[in-house]
Amino acid sequence: MADQPLERPIDLLDLAPSPNGTKPAGRTSRAQWVYETLRAAIHRHHFTHGDRIREEDVARSLGVSRTPVREALSRLQSRGLLEMAPGGLVIAALARPQIMELYAMREILEGSAARFAALKASQAEIDSLYRIHEAFDRARESAPRMAQVNRDFHQGIYEAGHNRYLMRTLDELHDALTLLPSTTFTVTGRPVTALAEHGAILDAINARDADRAESLARDHIAHALKARLELMFSYA
């Protein structure tokens, strides 16, 4: 994949944050627009690790000059989404030690988010989380759909915690998570256990039991790591 030029330019433009892919005026705003478009493409797995991202290809695909593209690529590299390879910038890949470090941080942060949610969530926010939980249950026959609803569930907990600094840290962490291939919901048994874990976390939040919510959330991420390692490094 690393020797292939950037492909699917129409799809890439469709991911642009402005309506109908309209480009904003000004170099700074255009650089931000290119950055958000490429970040969205990476988050949605439009690219995979090793795909080469050429400055000229992005500029041509989005109809902008190379200057805002250069600035956007530099930001993506600093966020860890791109890395330098012999042929230029490519979508970054995570090795096993990086995955272990990532999930160690995720366990702490997700636990904190659940704790804050138990302390600060409104009843309307908790009710919304229960509705997402029900949607997660209905999605069990589709791993991609489960992954999408799972993101909504966790995002709902973050927002219910009402801590902007934790949200900012989790946003950066999720950049790294998007570099992981596939979804752990393809691992046998994971959909059922994840559903039960979500329900227990949510019940603890609803009961305003911050200690239990944090403990359950941390266990949930530990189990997610086990499934991730099985998915990526099992040789059975």
Side-chain angles (χ1 to χ4, degrees):
M1 295 296 293
D3 291 327
Q4 297 298 317
L6 184 149
E7 298 177 348
R8 296 161 289 185
I10 296 176
D11 290 344
L12 183 57
L13 190 58
D14 287 344
L15 295 172
S18 301
N20 302 318
T22 302
K23 297 181 287 295
R27 192 187 79 177
T28 300
S29 56
R30 284 201 174 194
Q32 178 68 19
W33 180 77
V34 174
Y35 167 78
E36 291 177 359
T37 301
L38 287 173
R39 185 170 180 246
I42 296 169
H43 276 226
R44 299 182 194 183
H45 300 285
H46 186 86
F47 306 112
T48 189
H49 67 86
D51 280 353
R52 185 179 300 177
I53 307 298
R54 294 190 176 96
E55 185 180 298
E56 60 271 25
D57 290 339
V58 175
R60 182 173 60 254
S61 297
L62 295 178
V64 297
S65 70
R66 293 174 65 165
T67 299
V69 173
R70 189 176 305 118
E71 294 177 16
L73 295 181
S74 178
R75 285 183 64 188
L76 290 167
Q77 186 177 8
S78 70
R79 293 276 289 200
L81 291 171
L82 299 179
E83 61 187 5
M84 188 60 68
L89 287 173
V90 300
I91 302 296
L94 299 181
R96 186 182 181 117
Q98 292 170 294
I99 294 171
M100 299 297 292
E101 293 170 11
L102 175 62
Y103 272 83
M105 281 304 302
R106 188 183 178 196
E107 182 180 321
I108 293 170
L109 295 173
E110 294 271 2
S112 297
R115 166 174 285 277
F116 285 134
L119 295 172
K120 298 183 178 181
S122 68
Q123 191 57 50
E125 288 170 325
I126 293 173
D127 291 344
S128 176
L129 283 168
Y130 272 111
R131 288 192 293 271
I132 297 172
H133 179 58
E134 292 168 0
F136 186 79
D137 188 15
R138 293 193 298 270
R140 276 194 282 175
E141 298 304 314
S142 169
R145 174 62 180 161
M146 287 196 81
Q148 179 183 345
V149 180
N150 179 66
R151 287 190 292 270
D152 292 341
F153 180 80
H154 285 273
Q155 184 66 31
I157 291 177
Y158 308 157
E159 293 174 359
H162 298 280
N163 187 305
R164 70 194 69 184
Y165 300 103
L166 179 61
M167 288 273 290
R168 189 179 303 167
T169 306
L170 281 162
D171 182 59
E172 187 166 350
L173 180 139
H174 276 273
D175 274 354
L177 285 173
T178 62
L179 297 173
L180 297 172
S182 188
T183 168
T184 57
F185 297 122
T186 60
V187 175
T188 302
R190 184 58 190 156
V192 174
T193 57
L195 177 68
E197 290 162 9
H198 283 182
I201 294 166
L202 188 47
D203 287 345
I205 291 172
N206 190 41
R208 307 296 180 176
D209 189 336
D211 289 342
R212 180 166 173 76
E214 178 175 8
S215 176
L216 289 169
R218 293 189 64 149
D219 287 346
H220 175 58
I221 300 306
H223 297 155
L225 171 60
K226 183 179 179 180
R228 172 62 60 185
L229 295 176
E230 180 180 342
L231 178 67
M232 295 183 66
F233 300 106
S234 174
Y235 300 101

